[in-house]
Amino acid sequence: MTKFVIKRLMLSVVILFFVSMIIYGIMRCMPTSYVEQQAMTLSQKPGAKSYQEWLDQLNAAYGLDSGVVQGYFTWASQAVRGEFGDSWYFNQPVVAKFSSVIWYSFALAVLAFILEIAVAIPAGIAAAKKQYSVTDYTITVIALIGISLPSFFFATILKYVFAIKLGWFDLYGIVGRNHLQLSTVEQILDMAYHMVLPVITLTVVGIGSLMRYTRTNMLEVLNSDYIRTARAKGVSERRVVNHHAFRNTLIPIVTLLGGTLPGLFSGAMITETLFQIPGIGYTSYQCVIQGDIPFVMFYMLFSAVLILSGNLIADILYAVVDPRVRVN
Amino acid sequence: MENENREQMKLDDAARVRVLSPGMMVAKRFLRNRLAITGIVIIICMFLFAFIGAIITPYTESQVFYRTEQMRKDYAGAVALDEFQMFTAEGAEVPSDIGSKMLIGIGKQEYVFETRDGSLIGLAKLSDSTYMIYGAERIKDAKLMMSEECKAAAAAGRNWFESSGKTYLVEGEGIRGSLYATTELAIASKVSVTAYDASTAFSFDFYKGALTAMSLGETSFAADGGNYTIEQEGEGSAMVHTADGANYAYVSNMNINSFIGGVFLTPDFKELLIENISSGSESFEYTDEEGVTDTYMISEKNGQYTVKRYQTTRVIDTYASPSKEHPLGTDANGMDMLTRLMYGGRISLLIGFVVVAIELFLGVLFGGVAGFFGGWVDTLLMRFVDVIYCIPSMPLYLILGSIMDYYKVSPTVRIYMLCVVIGLIGWVGIARIVRGQILSLREQEFMTAAEATGISVSRRIFKHLVPNVIPQLVVFASMEVGGVILTESTLSFLGLGIKYPAASWGSILNAVNDSYVMTNYLFVWIPAGFMMLFTVLAFNFIGDGLRDAFDPKMKR
């Protein structure tokens, strides 16, 4: 098992090496004039560094003045040490900006994640218990609608109904107007209040796949021989479903959910942007639009690491659950 | 239904023992699935809507509509003249500082003065507001000084007289006075002269005749060999008629200008306007040459009179509410929403299919090769797939979008670029499916048999192995089309995908970024959103139905 984990870890490092190379390559593909123009625009903002300072920093960080290979290693060696330079748009170190916004995204994602699990797993099991019943069809259709719903459209509808027509929530932002006058507890409640609509959006959009995954796995388990045996023994249907079937269904579900854990940090670009939640998604969206190369490079690398670690966790969990995987 | 038929059939009835081919079985199971049929119907409707609808619709993709609007617009301005207007004689040059020198001279009642360039200028006072301007030359002519004309002028308080066809200026009286011979330079008066006919140009002779006659209170004058009569119309304005009684020119102490280029204000209009200004009324009606009667409103500010009238202007018909011509209204650019939706549907559907085609091609190629050969080829290709899989797609699309923005890539090229990029990132899922299936299939007996017959490797992969993966591929592809449509619309929604004037459902929905539009113009974003939802949903229904149909184990 240890050998398997080490092998996968090494593989992940190799993949990360190539992914980062591609990301660096994309950055190098940007026309020089584009980079310079962005630096020029940003340097003209009040309080920003001078144009030359930006360019020098860029050259130092990305080795733009040297060859592609050498430049990559210049950048990679600094990235390994956690030095990603200063964000152009926010005019502060990338890592500092990142650590100040990531927790908004995480809070949003965790809330949505818990809601998804709480709704999707029972619903998926209910659908599987009575395949082709009205319940099953309803849940299938709801799950498919969730998958098919463009998040920006759903978020807009929510905003229209609850923020504009009913006036229950604010249209934008994470804090209310009088946030600073509130006590600490009230401040937290204020933020939670502003997260209601984004969390609903994320939950509805993300719930479909988990629901269907649960249903498919539950069906598979319910069709397996040991369930038939249990039924033949005369075990009550409730016990068959809740003990024999559910526990076996949990194995692939937990594996899947384990793989999505790192994704909780990746931020929801569209939803955060629409509700202007200052998380990593909204921040990086602003940076992409503004051509903030240091931050975007960091975000790309960060996302790649998240995807990789998600795969890694899923792989290891599969190996834990199913020993046959380890042999191959 | 089948149960009812069964009772009437014999055991060896052909219909009863008929065995369906696997494909027919799949089709039958698929057609029984109500959700899948709903999906098929929606997709067919969408295709008809997007492709046939766009042909039928009377409008084009980026046709802009206009509406006419009544707007109160400035029509003309009138101001009482309190400065001298110069009417210069043909060929004469007036010194540049004549205006100020003249005012000083009039103020001091010194009618002969020297200008900056040293020339001597003399004024002949015709009335308080009308002066003839002469180039003066001092002469000594005692006889002329003592002539009857000179004495008559002095008696009448004039500083000028005419003698044997020439005009002379006098300064002072008797022997101590000075006498000046003159050449005509200009006539200055606080009036404006408008021709009755836009093409008429007045000669200096006419100006001189008319202004002189007016200020001396005469009712007729001769100029350019014609005779004219003057009809005084109230204070400071007069109509000049030709000898045959036709209106020829209008003289007034108001300067009236049109605010609209190319519009000639007729003397009739000016006359009416001055009448109304002096009577203090705020609006009047006037019928122009084309017989159109409009109401004109007069407003006054610091002695400036502004005439306004309601005018019909053509403006772009933005955010028009749904109507007979535009069933879904118009968007921010005044384009028909329904037509935009049709063309947007075309692009969204096309992108979905093209991208999935690219993904299928790459995925089957890489997955097939990797699965068939196994070993180091498999390892290498799958690690490559892993690398592609790890590239964060959304930030990448956004970066490419903003680089395309920077290069000002044309909307059509953007569509192709978008297809290629999404396809190049998205094929890895298909490659994994194909490889996984082929890994297990290649160990089966039929592949050993195929190898034994000695057919080529590429035939074995693509003729014998890949067709066995088709069920999974079809299911994946139909769901992937929906996914790609979502990706594309998300990009367009963020403003980095399809760009104006090309339309896609996502870019139509982009309008909600303006919360005023979101609140007030539901017809702009609701239809596009539901089109998108239904299309993607339909593809998912179909994919789901196909999965059930292909996989009978899942059936009870």
Side-chain angles (χ1 to χ4, degrees):
Chain A
M1 186 65 199
T2 324
K3 205 179 147 197
F4 174 79
V5 172
I6 291 172
K7 205 178 139 194
R8 297 296 307 182
L9 262 175
M10 301 269 281
L11 195 64
S12 296
V13 171
V14 174
I15 291 175
L16 184 64
F17 173 76
F18 284 106
V19 172
S20 61
M21 206 174 235
I22 290 179
I23 291 174
Y24 181 78
I26 291 167
M27 206 276 289
R28 282 301 284 255
C29 284
M30 285 183 196
T32 326
S33 54
Y34 175 77
V35 177
E36 282 169 0
Q37 191 215 355
Q38 292 297 347
M40 183 68 91
T41 324
L42 288 159
S43 67
Q44 280 157 1
K45 288 191 174 168
K49 297 180 184 178
S50 75
Y51 170 68
Q52 197 53 46
E53 214 175 320
W54 280 124
L55 271 197
D56 288 345
Q57 200 189 32
L58 205 65
N59 284 337
Y62 297 102
L64 286 182
D65 42 2
S66 53
V68 177
V69 180
Q70 204 191 331
Y72 171 71
F73 284 106
T74 314
W75 173 66
S77 65
Q78 289 180 349
V80 166
R81 276 178 274 148
E83 288 167 18
F84 290 91
D86 288 359
S87 159
W88 292 4
Y89 182 57
F90 294 103
N91 208 5
Q92 58 170 307
V94 167
V95 183
K97 181 71 194 170
F98 164 76
S99 48
S100 73
V101 298
I102 184 69
W103 297 109
Y104 291 111
S105 289
F106 183 70
L108 213 60
V110 164
L111 288 174
F113 187 66
I114 293 170
L115 266 179
E116 268 175 43
I117 293 175
V119 177
I121 292 181
I125 288 173
K129 269 199 293 194
K130 292 178 188 162
Q131 204 189 0
Y132 300 119
S133 66
V134 180
T135 324
D136 183 27
Y137 268 114
T138 317
I139 287 172
T140 305
V141 170
I142 289 175
L144 286 177
I145 287 178
I147 294 172
S148 315
L149 204 55
S151 54
F152 53 91
F153 180 53
F154 186 62
T156 309
I157 290 181
L158 284 184
K159 275 163 81 170
Y160 180 74
V161 174
F162 292 104
I164 292 174
K165 285 289 148 188
L166 297 176
W168 292 354
F169 300 97
D170 286 352
L171 257 186
Y172 303 115
I174 183 74
V175 292
R177 206 169 291 163
N178 50 356
H179 182 74
L180 290 175
Q181 283 118 46
L182 300 173
S183 65
T184 320
V185 179
E186 282 173 328
Q187 283 190 344
I188 292 171
L189 284 177
D190 184 39
M191 284 196 192
Y193 184 62
H194 282 84
M195 280 192 181
V196 170
L197 288 185
V199 166
I200 293 177
T201 310
L202 286 179
T203 309
V204 169
V205 169
I207 208 167
S209 51
L210 184 60
M211 229 185 236
R212 290 192 57 71
Y213 192 75
T214 313
R215 174 182 177 268
T216 315
N217 276 300
M218 190 70 182
L219 277 178
E220 213 164 286
V221 171
L222 284 175
N223 283 331
S224 57
D225 294 340
Y226 57 85
I227 295 294
R228 195 173 302 133
T229 312
R231 282 194 179 128
K233 271 196 325 189
V235 179
S236 73
E237 183 65 22
R238 229 172 103 187
R239 205 176 156 74
V240 167
V241 172
N242 293 347
H243 277 248
H244 298 254
F246 179 63
R247 288 184 183 180
N248 280 297
T249 318
L250 271 186
I251 295 171
I253 292 176
V254 168
T255 319
L256 176 91
L257 292 179
T260 58
L261 279 180
L264 297 179
F265 289 94
S266 67
M269 200 180 255
I270 310 296
T271 312
E272 283 177 21
T273 305
L274 271 171
F275 289 101
Q276 294 184 7
I277 304 290
I280 184 77
Y282 182 45
T283 310
S284 54
Y285 172 74
Q286 285 171 304
C287 289
V288 171
I289 298 297
Q290 299 293 332
D292 181 347
I293 293 170
F295 198 95
V296 173
M297 287 287 283
F298 169 78
Y299 181 64
M300 296 263 282
L301 200 67
F302 176 66
S303 308
V305 170
L306 289 182
I307 299 172
L308 258 175
S309 41
N311 284 359
L312 190 68
I313 292 175
D315 277 352
I316 292 173
L317 282 177
Y318 271 124
V320 171
V321 170
D322 187 352
R324 283 173 299 176
V325 176
R326 274 178 256 169
V327 184
N328 283 333
Chain B
M1 211 164 67
E2 275 182 13
N3 288 337
E4 288 167 19
N5 291 339
R6 199 173 287 165
E7 283 167 26
Q8 289 141 23
M9 281 178 194
K10 287 174 190 164
L11 259 179
D12 58 347
D13 197 306
R16 188 175 146 72
V17 296
R18 191 181 61 198
V19 175
L20 292 173
S21 71
M24 283 301 289
M25 291 289 285
V26 170
K28 203 175 150 191
R29 277 198 293 267
F30 181 75
L31 290 177
R32 267 201 215 139
N33 189 329
R34 253 176 264 154
L35 285 185
I37 294 300
T38 317
I40 290 273
V41 171
I42 294 177
I43 293 298
I44 290 175
C45 289
M46 285 297 166
F47 265 90
L48 288 178
F49 176 76
F51 289 87
I52 309 292
I55 297 170
I56 294 174
T57 178
Y59 311 127
T60 58
E61 184 180 10
S62 44
Q63 187 177 347
V64 178
F65 292 90
Y66 296 90
R67 63 163 179 263
T68 48
E69 208 167 61
Q70 288 278 324
M71 281 171 94
R72 231 165 73 141
K73 272 203 166 179
D74 286 0
Y75 179 69
V79 59
L81 285 170
D82 56 356
E83 277 177 19
F84 284 103
Q85 310 290 307
M86 297 278 177
F87 305 96
T88 321
E90 285 90 3
E93 267 188 46
V94 182
S96 55
D97 57 342
I98 180 80
S100 51
K101 292 283 184 198
M102 198 170 113
L103 288 177
I104 296 168
I106 292 169
K108 290 183 182 169
Q109 300 210 328
E110 286 169 9
Y111 296 116
V112 178
F113 47 84
E114 204 172 295
T115 56
R116 198 187 303 141
D117 59 357
S119 52
L120 207 59
I121 297 292
L123 301 177
K125 186 177 178 181
L126 302 178
S127 74
D128 280 344
S129 62
T130 310
Y131 293 85
M132 275 298 292
I133 301 172
Y134 296 104
E137 194 185 340
R138 189 165 180 177
I139 50 166
K140 287 199 189 301
D141 192 331
K143 203 175 95 194
L144 206 58
M145 201 71 177
M146 304 307 287
S147 65
E148 285 302 313
E149 288 93 342
C150 183
K151 280 179 183 156
R158 287 184 280 149
N159 70 331
W160 56 277
F161 63 93
E162 280 180 11
S163 174
S164 52
K166 283 185 178 170
T167 309
Y168 297 92
L169 292 178
V170 193
E171 207 175 29
E173 253 178 81
I175 303 160
R176 273 166 292 153
S178 329
L179 189 67
Y180 300 91
T182 60
T183 45
E184 282 177 350
L185 284 184
I187 183 163
S189 179
K190 291 180 178 179
V191 293
S192 73
V193 182
T194 318
Y196 217 82
D197 185 346
S199 60
T200 312
F202 300 118
S203 66
F204 175 69
D205 216 20
F206 176 81
Y207 282 127
K208 188 183 151 196
L211 295 178
T212 312
M214 261 188 80
S215 46
L216 298 181
E218 290 160 7
T219 54
S220 68
F221 65 95
D224 301 328
N227 283 309
Y228 299 92
T229 52
I230 296 178
E231 190 192 325
Q232 291 281 345
E233 294 182 347
E235 206 183 331
S237 58
M239 184 63 83
V240 180
H241 302 283
T242 51
D244 51 12
N247 291 343
Y248 185 68
Y250 184 68
V251 185
S252 76
N253 60 353
M254 298 283 264
N255 189 13
I256 302 172
N257 286 314
S258 164
F259 284 161
I260 305 161
V263 170
F264 173 73
L265 296 176
T266 59
D268 275 353
F269 178 80
K270 291 187 175 183
E271 209 181 321
L272 203 61
L273 177 61
I274 290 169
E275 255 173 45
N276 281 286
I277 287 173
S278 43
S279 70
S281 71
E282 285 190 341
S283 70
F284 61 95
E285 285 195 348
Y286 171 70
T287 311
D288 62 16
E289 305 102 282
E290 286 148 19
V292 183
T293 310
D294 271 325
T295 309
Y296 296 83
M297 279 135 291
I298 305 169
S299 56
E300 191 250 327
K301 196 184 172 189
N302 300 337
Q304 297 245 7
Y305 296 90
T306 314
V307 183
K308 290 180 175 177
R309 73 163 181 188
Y310 282 110
Q311 265 189 324
T312 50
T313 14
R314 240 161 75 95
V315 291
I316 291 179
D317 197 8
T318 55
Y319 297 125
S321 296
S323 62
K324 217 174 180 183
E325 294 87 51
H326 308 295
L328 290 177
T330 58
D331 64 6
N333 301 307
M335 296 173 182
D336 183 54
M337 277 312 300
L338 189 64
T339 312
R340 297 286 286 173
L341 275 181
M342 287 168 180
Y343 281 93
R346 265 189 190 192
I347 287 178
S348 292
L349 288 170
L350 268 181
I351 286 183
F353 279 96
V354 170
V355 168
V356 169
I358 295 174
E359 287 181 3
L360 279 178
F361 175 75
L362 289 174
V364 169
L365 190 70
F366 278 82
V369 170
F372 181 80
F373 290 105
W376 66 269
V377 178
D378 181 32
T379 315
L380 194 71
L381 286 178
M382 280 304 113
R383 291 301 83 82
F384 180 56
V385 164
D386 284 343
V387 170
I388 302 279
Y389 182 79
C390 280
I391 295 177
S393 51
M394 207 61 198
L396 179 69
Y397 299 147
L398 292 178
I399 289 172
L400 292 175
S402 62
I403 290 181
M404 282 196 276
D405 273 359
Y406 175 74
Y407 276 128
K408 298 190 172 57
V409 175
S410 77
T412 335
V413 178
R414 281 188 89 100
I415 298 173
Y416 299 133
M417 289 294 291
L418 213 61
C419 288
V420 171
V421 173
I422 300 180
L424 283 182
I425 296 288
W427 59 273
V428 287
I430 293 179
R432 282 184 169 170
I433 292 175
V434 172
R435 177 231 176 213
Q437 283 294 311
I438 285 182
L439 266 184
S440 65
L441 282 172
R442 68 171 183 162
E443 305 298 334
Q444 292 186 11
E445 286 84 359
F446 75 94
M447 282 317 293
T448 323
E451 202 177 347
T453 54
I455 52 175
S456 69
V457 171
S458 64
R459 269 184 79 85
R460 262 188 278 156
I461 298 178
F462 296 109
K463 279 266 171 189
H464 292 267
L465 284 176
V466 170
N468 280 300
V469 193
I470 279 180
Q472 281 88 347
L473 283 184
V474 171
V475 172
F476 189 84
S478 74
M479 292 193 158
E480 184 71 2
V481 173
V484 170
I485 290 177
L486 273 188
T487 310
E488 175 273 317
S489 60
T490 306
L491 279 178
S492 302
F493 175 75
L494 293 175
L496 292 163
I498 307 297
K499 288 253 172 173
Y500 173 85
S504 95
W505 289 335
S507 68
I508 292 172
L509 239 146
N510 183 288
V512 301
N513 282 336
D514 181 348
S515 33
Y516 186 76
V517 176
M518 180 172 90
T519 319
N520 295 297
Y521 305 117
L522 283 185
F523 56 84
V524 171
W525 58 275
I526 292 277
F530 276 107
M531 295 292 255
M532 210 162 4
L533 171 60
F534 285 135
T535 309
V536 180
L537 191 60
F539 279 114
N540 280 323
F541 278 165
I542 293 174
D544 201 50
L546 282 172
R547 196 206 316 262
D548 279 355
F550 278 125
D551 194 1
K553 271 189 291 179
M554 278 301 175
K555 287 269 164 186
R556 269 172 291 200

